[in-house]
Amino acid sequence: QKEVEQNSGPLSVPEGAIASLNCTYSDRGSQSFFWYRQYSGKSPELIMFIYSNGDKEDGRFTAQLNKASQYVSLLIRDSQPSDSATYLCAVNAGYGNNRLAFGKGNQVVVIP
Amino acid sequence: DAGITQSPRYKITETGRQVTLMCHQTWSHSYMFWYRQDLGHGLRLIYYSAAADITDKGEVPDGYVVSRSKTENFPLTLESATRSQTSVYFCASSEGQGRNQPQHFGDGTRLSIL
């Protein structure tokens, strides 16, 4: 069974600080990694994807991938109250059918 | 650009009733997916479809039926609703195979079964 773990509890960060979220996955064959943001009562929204080791930056968001250690992380720089949401890590787990394995999510609360 | 739309947005029904949730996408995406999201469980895949007339089970298919006669539509039917099927249901779609194919989600249907 493909597993994606997001273990840390709710994360509270002051406005302007960096929020750091981590995700580990079990299948070494995983090739694509996605971060979704989900506001309360809304649907998941894609914010980043990464498939090569290293960093990928998009605005205030940076995704980091380390395939050897089987983890992917998301950094949110200059956190804003509008970043308060649940962040879902998703992994294309090599099913060959575009299926994604999702973590349960991490809640981020940005404190003004 | 309508994208992916789900209907209804909210539905209340009684146990034992049949209910169908609709999903329609305008992108001509090959793949479509149905998830349910419950507190403590995250997103769980119910069924998915790789193309018209091709469907397959996900993690939690029991009690659900799907069909896909046209590429753009992927309805989900609860044949005899149970209280345990009270949940938020999301439909998603993605393009054909390729390692960077993200899924795009509809707005969801909040289903309550009394």
Side-chain angles (χ1 to χ4, degrees):
Chain A
Q1 181 176 351
K2 321 292 182 179
E3 292 187 352
V4 178
E5 298 287 339
Q6 294 180 258
N7 287 330
S8 51
L11 179 65
S12 294
V13 295
E15 185 174 354
I18 296 174
S20 177
L21 303 171
N22 294 313
C23 171
T24 60
Y25 59 94
S26 62
D27 185 4
R28 284 196 171 273
S30 300
Q31 296 183 348
S32 304
F33 308 85
F34 306 89
W35 283 99
Y36 287 83
R37 177 177 62 200
Q38 186 174 23
Y39 292 116
S40 180
K42 301 295 187 182
S43 61
E45 170 194 13
L46 179 72
I47 54 172
M48 292 284 292
F49 69 86
I50 186 168
Y51 61 90
S52 297
N53 276 329
D55 296 359
K56 179 181 179 182
E57 188 174 311
D58 184 358
R60 296 184 296 108
F61 297 100
T62 299
Q64 300 174 317
L65 175 61
N66 184 321
K67 289 187 177 180
S69 299
Q70 294 178 240
Y71 81 79
V72 56
S73 61
L74 180 70
L75 301 178
I76 308 173
R77 292 184 303 281
D78 188 24
S79 296
Q80 301 296 309
S82 59
D83 295 325
S84 297
T86 296
Y87 290 81
L88 306 174
C89 174
V91 176
N92 182 314
Y95 290 105
N97 51 20
N98 278 24
R99 281 178 66 172
L100 296 179
F102 283 87
K104 293 183 178 179
N106 281 128
Q107 185 181 9
V108 172
V109 178
V110 180
I111 303 168
Chain B
D1 185 357
I4 184 165
T5 55
Q6 293 183 236
S7 61
R9 293 294 314 279
Y10 303 92
K11 176 75 176 178
I12 299 173
T13 191
E14 296 176 339
T15 56
R17 301 248 180 171
Q18 182 181 81
V19 59
T20 296
L21 310 184
M22 305 301 293
C23 180
H24 175 80
Q25 53 105 353
T26 60
W27 293 312
S28 298
H29 283 172
S30 299
Y31 286 85
M32 296 187 74
F33 307 83
W34 274 107
Y35 294 90
R36 59 179 290 175
Q37 188 174 40
D38 305 286
L39 200 62
H41 290 281
L43 283 165
R44 292 185 288 176
L45 181 66
I46 305 171
Y47 269 96
Y48 66 99
S49 169
D53 296 323
I54 301 175
T55 62
D56 207 347
K57 296 178 180 179
E59 302 170 62
V60 289
D62 293 344
Y64 302 95
V65 174
V66 293
S67 62
R68 194 162 176 211
S69 58
K70 294 184 178 181
T71 299
E72 61 267 30
N73 296 323
F74 190 39
L76 176 73
T77 297
L78 288 66
E79 292 190 301
S80 179
T82 64
R83 288 195 181 91
S84 65
Q85 294 177 308
T86 292
S87 186
V88 180
Y89 291 84
F90 289 106
C91 179
S93 70
S94 68
E95 295 185 64
Q97 288 190 18
R99 60 176 174 172
N100 285 338
Q101 300 306 328
Q103 294 179 14
H104 302 278
F105 287 79
D107 289 337
T109 294
R110 187 172 295 273
L111 178 64
S112 296
I113 300 165
L114 306 178

